[in-house]
């Protein structure tokens, strides 16, 4: 295991046993007698009114253990206190028809959808941004570990991961520290778990310099009848903590790290980052699957953010009774931990199960088989209190719902930022653009080697994409595709997308463009889009402009999903991604999951044979505001993002899925950053097969109805478009599927050059040299 | 024909290896690290993964598993054994094969479609290939650099026990810094083969870079049939 910081290593004393009670234990009884003692609520991240509210709920001062629980559970990260008033937009935009596909919706550890033939798939994306900036390797590694446990706790076998990553400037010295550590952490953990990493994103923008975004997505599959939920029911049922011992790592991770803005002058926060042990998690996965198969688990919850505080209060709150837990029974790897620290610890690779007493022996036999430590630490009780004791003395006595679900709700002020008018008025039309073929060619070569469009195999080759043997498609193709049913080939495709620049220009449209692109990527691979997860990365919610961006983004995704008929199944909000007063671009990362009856029919993104017809599908407009071209060539951001046309996306998607199903497609590739030029270059480089493009003259018109010039046709980033190559013999059948999709045959595959008739010709190897040079030049080969 | 696949805690490609056996017409038999029982199988695969987390030296703990107590003497007696990736590391740690696997020279985990040349087709696992044949199968490891002293390397080459070599790139480099581009070797008898790349990821159309891995599994099934016929 690679780690850069000895300080974050767990204690070597793995055999440590529970500590003796300290002399001055803060019990409920003591708290009732001493209402006025000083309490460090502010240091734990609580606001004054929140502290007062806790005193109101329990009608006395909280004990230090209760204060710890409330502080982590009422943190922004766990309570969604700034965001949840806007979540009603999800419900309002979910129709009955959309709900029909949902087996489990928002609010559980992860949403679950029905993919047919008795199979259920669960997927979710989460952020681990702040820990990954403080300690890149462990922050990213435990981000993967956390989302995998969420998927496991639904009863599923995890089957794939993907990681949308965003960094500051590629050439900034701190990127040299952050990127290799994060990539090694994602790989180190995921590879050791045996989960194929099938996609994701690697994006660079100066706005992420002090706030890299590490989002982690996991997909899991199970039979419909095997879905498990996080709830504690049945008086007398046992509460079992199993997996790793509890240590001092990650104390206050959610409150201190995830819910505040970094100050450059503050103390180092490394002790708040958790440390991962992927081997322990791999064993835990297999152990949990054995437990599920034996039907010995009534309820299950993973321990992630807020650790035992979260697991105990959520299980009890979701159930129909109370819970009593003896905290001194928790196996520790550091005997000096205080009770409140045990409650806050975010030590990884732990799970909590609710088990009927007569199934306890069978449960323990299975955990023994896997050498997983399991300890009964309490039981489900009658009544409605969560009671936690320490060597017999009551240190927590609270209504579990008040901790888990009834946290504060903020109606934060929101207002459209004043800078937007000027920003929107400053479009790309005024930027100098090339006219001569050689100049366009030079800019294409610059773009194909630019940080966001260059070859990312330096990153993705550090991830195992083959393990489990079900990967039908992975990066750099449009979507990751994995088989779920080995008999029939039924499987799923997943893609994540977000262009933060578009969201900066217009968060509603930008969020819908993210949704549209992920939807299109899944359809391009040949899968019918089915469900959505999102990871909403934003600046401080205390900034009204950021809150406005946030609300606009949710509205955009929710209304877009309603139009497309695919439900949001869950996701995550990450606030406080800013340095000082400067927030990141609003970055609502959208993940779309699609289903295929047989994944062997998926469409790949690269040209493979000579003589296939190349079609451009969709409508091209003059849309260069916020484009990769404006960003790279002119370092310009302004204007308005491309128009969203969800009806066109739907028609395009339907045609792409039908074409794949009918086996007509040689290659299909979505058009996004860099437009047609980059899509063509990528399709050529994938297998080294060139193309001749001679049909650019009338691919679209501008706002005035003028035919687009070749430069605009090549670099415009209009949405709802794809490039498709079909063998000549399939052309008629393919065109018959395009009744509702504007399309134009623009050329043919073949040769070793990308030739744009009348403009330039470029060898595929020249493109490859420019494409593959960039990342090794910075990070070494 | 029954081919055992051992699962250690932390084994990852055990299901894949079992699938490859089935895809090629054999019966796969799960073997558990904690059992000192080979269940009467005709051959054994030690699959890829991170046995026991590999936090120490890769394979260093797995060699002490109870299943190895029965596997090592069986292999010394001629039972065909294939070690893939972590399995190769376990075989060197168990001294069934010489040399060692160390951290890749570029210090990163690396997952690529690797080109290999087959140099020995007289082992139990490679008879369905041709000498000089080039195959493309998946390579994915962090500690796959094959090293040994010169005397051992000379002996391996002299005795024809280098089974696979990486096809070096234009700069003469292989994917992990292995000495003399060695990707896989065998023991004197030719029944024990270890290699870093993963043939089990190249047996099914649409799932992997090629079907070039099938030869391992068809070879061993033939070998097992021949052995049975002789007995």
């Amino acid at each position: 295991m690679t780690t850069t910081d000895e300080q974050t290593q767990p204690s070597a004393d793995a055999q440590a046993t529970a500590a003796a009670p300290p002399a001055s234990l803060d019990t409920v009884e003591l708290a009732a007698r001493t209402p006025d003692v000083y309490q460090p609520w502010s240091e734990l991240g609580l606001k004054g009114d929140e502290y007062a509210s806790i005193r109101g709920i329990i009608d006395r001062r909280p004990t230090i253990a209760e204060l710890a629980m409330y502080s982590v559970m009422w943190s922004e990260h766990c309570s969604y206190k700034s965001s949840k008033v806007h979540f009603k937009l999800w419900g309002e935009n979910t129709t009955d028809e959309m709900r029909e596909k949902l087996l489990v919706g928002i609010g559980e550890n992860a949403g679950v959808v029905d993919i047919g033939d008795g199979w259920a798939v669960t997927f979710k994306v989460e952020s681990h941004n702040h820990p990954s900036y403080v300690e890149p390797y462990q922050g990213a590694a435990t981000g993967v570990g956390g989302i995998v446990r969420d998927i496991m706790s639904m009863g599923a076998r995890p089957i794939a991961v993907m990681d949308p990553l965003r960094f500051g400037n590629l050439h900034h010295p701190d990127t040299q520290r952050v990127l290799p550590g994060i990539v090694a952490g994602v790989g180190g953990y995921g590879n050791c778990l045996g989960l194929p990493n099938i996609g994701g994103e690697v994006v660079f923008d100066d706005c992420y310099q002090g706030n890299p975004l590490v989002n982690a997505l996991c997909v899991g599959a199970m039979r419909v009848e095997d879905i498990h939920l996080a709830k504690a029911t049945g008086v007398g049922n046992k509460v079992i903590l199993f997996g790793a011992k509890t240590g001092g790592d990650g104390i206050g991770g959610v409150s201190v790290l995830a819910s505040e803005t970094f100050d450059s002058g503050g103390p180092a926060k490394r002790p708040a980052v958790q440390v991962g042990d992927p081997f322990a998690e791999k064993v835990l996965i297999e152990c949990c699957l054995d437990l599920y198969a034996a039907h010995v688990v009534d309820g299950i919850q993973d321990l992630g953010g807020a650790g035992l505080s979260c697991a105990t209060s959520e299980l009890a709150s979701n159930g129909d009774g109370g819970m009593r837990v003896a905290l001194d029974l928790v196996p520790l790897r550091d005997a000096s931990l205080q009770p409140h620290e045990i409650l806050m610890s975010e030590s990884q690779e732990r799970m909590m199960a609710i088990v009927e007493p007569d199934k306890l022996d069978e449960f323990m036999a299975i955990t023994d088989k896997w050498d997983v430590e399991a300890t009964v630490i309490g039981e489900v009780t009658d009544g409605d209190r969560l009671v936690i004791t320490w060597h017999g003395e009551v240190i927590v006595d609270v209504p579990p719902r008040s901790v888990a679900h009834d946290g504060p709700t903020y109606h934060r002020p929101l207002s459209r930022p004043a800078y937007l008018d000027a920003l929107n008025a400053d479009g790309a039309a005024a930027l100098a653009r090339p006219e001569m073929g050689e100049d366009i060619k030079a800019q294409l070569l610059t773009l194909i080697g630019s940080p966001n469009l260059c070859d990312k195999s330096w990153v993705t080759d550090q991830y195992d994409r083959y393990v489990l043997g079900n990967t039908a498609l992975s990066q750099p193709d449009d979507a990751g595709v994995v088989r779920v049913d080995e008999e029939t080939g039924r499987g799923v495709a997943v893609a994540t997308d977000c262009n933060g620049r578009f969201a900066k220009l217009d968060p509603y449209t930008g969020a819908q463009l993210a949704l549209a692109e992920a939807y299109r990527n899944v359809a391009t691979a040949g899968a019918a889009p089915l469900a959505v997860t999102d990871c909403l990365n934003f600046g401080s919610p205390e900034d009204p402009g950021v809150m406005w961006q946030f609300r606009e983004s949710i509205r955009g995704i929710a209304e877009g999903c309603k139009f497309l008929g695919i439900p949001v199944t869950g996701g995550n909000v990450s606030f406080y991604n800013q340095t000082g007063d400067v927030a990141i671009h609003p970055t609502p990362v959208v993940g779309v999951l699609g289903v295929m009856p047989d994944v062997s029919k998926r469409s790949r993104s690269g040209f493979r044979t000579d003589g296939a017809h190349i079609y451009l599908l969709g409508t091209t407009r003059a849309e260069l505001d916020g484009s990769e071209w404006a960003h790279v060539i002119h370092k310009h951001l302004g204007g308005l993002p491309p128009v969203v046309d969800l009806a066109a996306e739907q028609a395009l998607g339907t045609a792409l899925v039908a074409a794949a199903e009918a086996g007509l497609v040689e290659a299909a590739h979505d058009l996004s950053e860099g437009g047609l030029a980059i899509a063509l270059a990528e399709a050529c480089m994938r297998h080294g097969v060139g193309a001749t493009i001679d049909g650019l003259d009338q691919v679209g018109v501008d706002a005035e109805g003028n035919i687009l010039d070749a430069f605009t046709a090549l670099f415009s980033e209009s949405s709802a478009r794809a490039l498709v190559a079909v063998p000549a013999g399939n052309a008629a059948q393919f065109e018959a599927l395009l009744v509702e999709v504007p399309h134009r045959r623009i050329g043919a595959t073949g040769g070793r050059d990308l030739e744009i008739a009348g403009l330039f010709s470029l060898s595929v190897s020249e493109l490859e040299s420019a494409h593959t040079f960039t990342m090794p030049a910075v990070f070494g080969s | 024909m029954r081919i055992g696949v051992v699962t250690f805690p932390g084994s990852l490609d055990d299901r894949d290896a079992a699938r490859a056996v089935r895809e090629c017409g054999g019966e796969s038999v799960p073997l558990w690290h904690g059992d000192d029982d080979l269940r009467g199988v005709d051959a054994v695969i030690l699959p890829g993964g991170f046995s026991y987390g590999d936090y120490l030296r890769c394979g260093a703990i797995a060699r002490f598993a109870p299943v190895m107590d029965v596997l090592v003497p069986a292999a010394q007696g001629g039972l065909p054994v294939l070690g893939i990736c972590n399995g190769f590391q376990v075989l060197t740690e168990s001294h069934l094969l010489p040399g060692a696997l160390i951290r890749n020279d570029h210090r990163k985990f690396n997952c690529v479609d690797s080109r290999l040349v087959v140099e020995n087709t007289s082992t139990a696992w490679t008879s369905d290939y041709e000498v000089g044949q080039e195959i493309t199968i998946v390579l994915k490891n962090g500690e796959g650099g094959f090293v040994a002293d010169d005397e051992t390397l000379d002996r391996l080459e002299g005795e024809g026990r280098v089974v696979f070599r990486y096809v070096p790139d234009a700069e003469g480099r292989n994917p992990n810094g292995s000495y003399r581009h060695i990707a896989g070797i065998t023991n004197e008898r030719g029944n024990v083969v270890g290699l870093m790349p993963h043939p089990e990821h190249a047996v099914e159309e649409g799932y992997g870079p090629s079907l070039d891995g099938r030869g391992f599994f068809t070879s061993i099934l033939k070998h097992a049939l021949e052995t049975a016929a002789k007995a």
Side-chain angles (χ1 to χ4, degrees):
Chain A
M1 184 166 69
T2 303
T3 178
T4 57
D5 182 19
E6 292 300 318
Q7 207 178 354
T8 61
Q9 285 294 300
S11 159
D13 183 11
Q15 298 306 311
T17 49
S24 57
L25 185 68
D26 191 18
T27 62
V28 165
E29 186 263 335
L30 180 65
R33 277 191 288 118
T34 55
D36 297 323
V37 301
Y38 166 76
Q39 296 209 279
W41 49 267
S42 174
E43 290 87 331
L44 289 169
L46 287 165
K47 313 283 187 215
D49 54 342
E50 293 170 349
Y51 175 66
S53 163
I54 295 167
R55 295 190 67 129
I57 289 169
I58 56 177
D59 204 22
R60 57 174 163 77
R61 77 159 173 88
T63 64
I64 183 68
E66 290 168 337
L67 187 65
M69 288 185 81
Y70 280 106
S71 75
V72 288
M73 289 303 289
W74 285 16
S75 67
E76 187 66 60
H77 183 85
C78 288
S79 73
Y80 295 96
K81 58 191 171 189
S82 300
S83 51
K84 65 185 174 190
V85 295
H86 303 294
F87 289 172
K88 64 177 188 290
L89 287 166
W90 301 133
E92 287 169 9
N93 286 287
T94 306
T95 63
D96 288 344
E97 196 189 342
M98 288 156 74
R99 279 196 187 88
E100 273 174 25
K101 300 170 192 164
L102 275 175
L103 297 170
V104 175
I106 295 175
E108 276 287 340
N109 284 306
V112 185
V113 287
D114 187 343
I115 65 158
D117 288 354
W119 287 101
V121 164
T122 175
F123 78 127
K124 188 179 171 187
V125 59
E126 260 192 4
S127 63
H128 228 220
N129 303 337
H130 290 89
S132 303
Y133 179 64
V134 174
E135 214 299 278
Y137 185 96
Q138 293 296 348
T142 54
V144 175
I147 192 65
V148 169
R149 281 194 306 283
D150 271 341
I151 295 305
M152 275 160 66
S153 62
M154 298 310 297
R157 173 180 281 281
I159 57 171
V161 293
M162 50 207 292
D163 294 85
L165 306 177
R166 285 172 170 76
F167 302 99
N169 193 306
L170 174 62
H171 300 287
H172 190 289
D174 198 44
T175 306
Q176 299 272 345
R177 171 186 75 93
V178 172
L179 185 144
I182 285 174
V183 171
V186 167
Y189 204 98
N191 295 340
C192 193
L193 281 189
L195 294 178
N197 191 314
I198 57 171
E201 302 161 82
V202 180
V203 176
F204 297 92
D205 193 294
D206 290 358
C207 76
Y208 304 113
Q209 197 65 58
N211 278 92
L213 301 185
V214 175
N215 295 174
L217 182 148
C218 183
V219 192
M222 71 204 113
R223 300 298 294 169
V224 170
E225 62 272 18
D226 292 336
I227 295 172
H228 280 71
L229 298 176
K231 61 177 181 178
T233 55
V235 174
N237 283 349
K238 301 300 178 189
V239 177
I240 300 178
L241 180 64
F242 66 112
K245 286 177 161 57
T246 298
D249 50 326
I251 289 177
V254 292
S255 51
V256 181
L257 268 189
S259 303
E260 280 181 51
T261 302
F262 290 140
D263 299 318
S264 52
K269 289 177 173 175
R270 271 191 297 265
V273 180
Q274 316 91 320
V275 178
D277 175 357
F279 168 65
E281 181 130 319
K282 165 65 181 171
V283 171
L284 207 48
I285 292 174
E286 301 301 332
C287 179
C288 281
L289 290 167
D290 274 3
L291 291 169
Y292 299 148
H295 302 288
V296 293
V297 175
D298 258 28
I300 187 144
Q301 167 80 301
D302 68 302
L303 275 73
L308 277 165
S309 296
C310 179
T312 53
S313 63
E314 285 194 355
L315 279 164
S317 179
N318 292 339
D320 52 11
M323 184 186 286
R324 190 177 178 93
V325 167
L327 199 61
D328 45 288
L329 296 179
V330 171
L332 301 179
R333 60 172 111 113
D334 175 357
S336 70
L337 286 180
Q338 298 297 304
H340 66 278
E341 293 174 318
I342 298 170
L343 282 168
M344 293 168 83
S345 164
E346 297 186 1
S347 287
Q348 299 290 289
E349 294 91 25
R350 298 180 298 164
M351 303 284 285
M352 182 171 280
I354 307 298
V355 177
E356 293 168 23
D358 62 351
K359 292 180 178 169
L360 191 58
D361 288 347
E362 200 180 345
F363 185 100
M364 291 298 184
I366 292 169
T367 51
D368 277 355
K369 176 194 165 192
W370 289 101
D371 290 323
V372 167
E373 185 167 5
T375 311
V376 177
I377 63 165
E379 63 181 36
V380 180
T381 57
D382 221 348
D384 57 359
R385 305 292 282 191
L386 170 60
V387 176
I388 298 177
T389 61
W390 181 253
H391 293 283
E393 301 205 60
V394 176
I395 57 167
V396 172
D397 184 354
V398 296
R401 208 176 158 76
S402 72
V403 180
H405 293 111
D406 294 339
T409 300
Y410 290 167
H411 296 263
R412 302 251 191 218
L414 44 88
S415 66
R416 183 173 178 273
Y419 63 75
L420 263 185
D421 286 337
L423 188 66
N424 289 155
D426 178 26
L431 303 176
R433 53 186 68 186
E435 287 170 16
M436 305 300 289
E438 283 307 303
D439 297 334
I440 296 175
K441 171 176 146 180
Q443 292 200 347
L444 170 57
L445 282 169
T446 302
L447 275 167
I448 202 74
S450 67
N452 289 336
L453 298 175
C454 73
D455 174 44
K456 299 301 191 317
S457 55
W458 190 91
V459 172
T460 55
D461 281 355
Q462 295 187 51
Y463 308 151
D464 183 347
R465 58 187 174 275
Y466 288 113
V467 64
L468 297 182
N470 290 315
T471 305
L473 212 58
S474 62
Q475 60 275 0
D477 286 314
D478 290 67
V481 177
V482 286
R483 176 172 59 179
V484 171
D485 186 323
E486 295 192 16
E487 299 300 315
T488 62
R490 179 171 290 271
V492 294
V494 186
T496 71
D497 286 292
C498 181
N499 185 327
R501 292 194 308 272
F502 290 161
K504 172 84 173 185
L505 297 177
D506 176 351
Y508 178 89
T509 305
Q512 282 200 343
L513 285 165
L515 169 67
E517 187 179 348
Y519 178 96
R520 191 184 327 129
N521 274 319
V522 162
T524 304
L530 184 66
V532 174
T533 182
D534 56 47
C535 193
L536 305 172
N537 306 277
F538 286 80
S540 168
E542 294 159 41
D543 176 340
V546 169
M547 261 336 268
W548 176 84
Q549 292 173 331
F550 179 74
R551 184 182 168 80
E552 286 296 288
S553 297
I554 288 199
R555 201 165 64 82
I557 297 170
E559 291 179 9
C561 285
K562 184 179 184 180
F563 186 95
L564 295 168
I566 52 176
V568 175
T569 62
N572 169 243
V573 176
S574 173
F575 278 133
Y576 296 99
N577 293 293
Q578 62 180 56
T579 309
D581 289 339
V582 183
I584 59 164
H585 291 339
T587 311
V589 171
V590 178
V592 171
L593 178 136
V595 63
M596 294 185 78
D598 180 359
V599 296
S600 71
K601 293 188 172 174
R602 83 277 187 236
S603 300
R604 290 174 279 190
S605 66
F607 301 146
R608 281 176 291 154
T609 61
D610 289 358
H613 292 183
I614 300 175
Y615 291 85
L616 174 61
L617 275 51
T619 302
T620 303
R621 305 180 187 87
E623 295 184 309
L624 286 156
D625 294 0
S627 66
E628 206 62 42
W629 171 80
H631 175 67
V632 171
I633 304 293
H634 294 284
K635 296 181 173 46
H636 178 268
L637 175 59
L640 290 166
V643 170
V644 175
D645 184 344
L646 294 176
E649 295 285 0
Q650 219 163 19
L652 175 69
T654 303
L656 288 167
V657 172
E661 181 69 35
L664 304 176
V665 176
E666 171 176 304
H669 193 26
D670 121 278
L671 265 62
S672 54
E673 285 85 358
L676 176 62
I678 295 300
L680 281 167
E682 288 172 345
C684 289
M685 287 186 293
R686 193 80 177 93
H687 304 292
V689 173
T692 301
I693 303 302
D694 53 16
L696 274 194
D697 47 339
Q698 288 187 27
V699 299
V701 293
D702 65 15
E704 283 80 45
N706 302 315
I707 288 170
L708 293 184
D709 61 282
F711 166 80
T712 308
L714 283 170
F715 292 98
S716 168
E717 297 188 8
S718 299
S719 63
R721 295 185 303 158
L723 190 66
V724 181
V726 296
N730 295 346
Q733 229 184 318
F734 178 66
E735 288 187 30
L737 295 173
L738 301 178
V739 178
E740 291 177 38
V741 180
H743 60 278
R744 185 172 170 77
R745 192 176 140 197
I746 58 169
T749 63
R752 295 291 172 265
D753 299 318
L754 171 60
E755 185 185 345
I756 311 288
L759 280 183
F760 62 83
S761 180
L762 184 57
S763 73
V764 176
S765 59
E766 203 177 341
L767 277 168
E768 272 166 0
S769 300
H771 191 52
T772 54
F773 172 80
T774 312
M775 289 202 72
V778 175
F779 299 107
S781 56
Chain B
M1 293 294 107
R2 304 171 73 237
I3 314 293
V5 178
V6 176
T7 298
F8 298 100
S11 288
L12 304 177
D13 302 301
D14 45 344
R15 285 148 50 97
D16 309 52
R19 184 195 294 115
V21 167
R22 291 193 304 271
E23 281 288 319
C24 298
E27 179 191 348
S28 68
V29 178
L31 300 177
W32 182 243
H33 72 108
D35 296 341
D36 51 1
D37 180 1
L38 297 179
R39 302 178 63 185
V41 295
D42 300 300
V44 171
I45 297 174
L46 299 177
F50 294 77
S51 52
Y52 305 92
D54 279 344
Y55 294 137
L56 192 55
R57 220 170 44 239
C58 298
I61 295 182
R63 70 165 282 206
F64 293 110
V67 73
M68 295 304 291
D69 292 343
V70 288
L71 182 62
V72 170
Q76 285 161 347
L79 182 76
V81 178
L82 175 66
I84 302 168
C85 197
N86 191 223
F88 186 15
Q89 294 163 339
V90 174
L91 289 176
T92 59
E93 288 290 338
S94 309
H95 304 293
L96 285 170
L97 291 174
L101 285 312
I102 64 164
R103 190 138 177 81
N104 296 345
D105 57 353
H106 47 76
R107 321 290 300 162
K108 298 189 299 290
F109 186 96
N110 195 23
C111 175
V112 292
D113 300 342
S114 65
R115 288 162 60 209
L116 310 178
V117 172
V118 182
E119 296 197 357
N120 178 339
T121 59
S122 60
T123 79
W125 299 89
T126 55
S127 62
D128 269 359
Y129 293 103
E130 314 262 321
V131 171
Q133 185 180 344
E134 192 178 305
I135 62 174
T136 298
I137 59 178
V138 173
L139 177 74
K140 43 170 208 178
N141 61 64
E143 309 195 14
F146 180 76
V147 297
D149 56 46
D150 282 339
E151 191 190 328
T152 304
L153 293 169
D154 289 343
R155 195 174 74 243
L156 284 171
E157 290 186 333
E159 295 174 0
R161 287 166 54 196
V162 174
V163 187
F164 302 99
R165 275 187 228 262
Y166 300 106
V167 177
D169 65 16
E171 283 98 53
R173 293 173 22 166
N174 66 61
N176 46 31
S178 291
Y179 288 4
R180 304 191 193 179
H181 305 309
I182 292 173
I185 57 174
T186 186
N187 61 351
E188 289 89 341
R189 200 165 167 165
N191 63 311
V192 178
V193 171
L195 80 167
M196 287 313 295
H198 290 257
E200 80 281 16
H201 289 322
V203 297
E204 249 189 307
E205 192 66 62
Y207 304 92
S210 70
L211 299 180
D212 292 349
R214 294 183 70 94
F216 282 79
F217 307 96
T218 54
S219 297
I220 194 63
L221 292 172
K222 261 187 213 166
H223 177 91
L225 279 173
E226 284 162 13
T227 307
K230 278 183 214 157

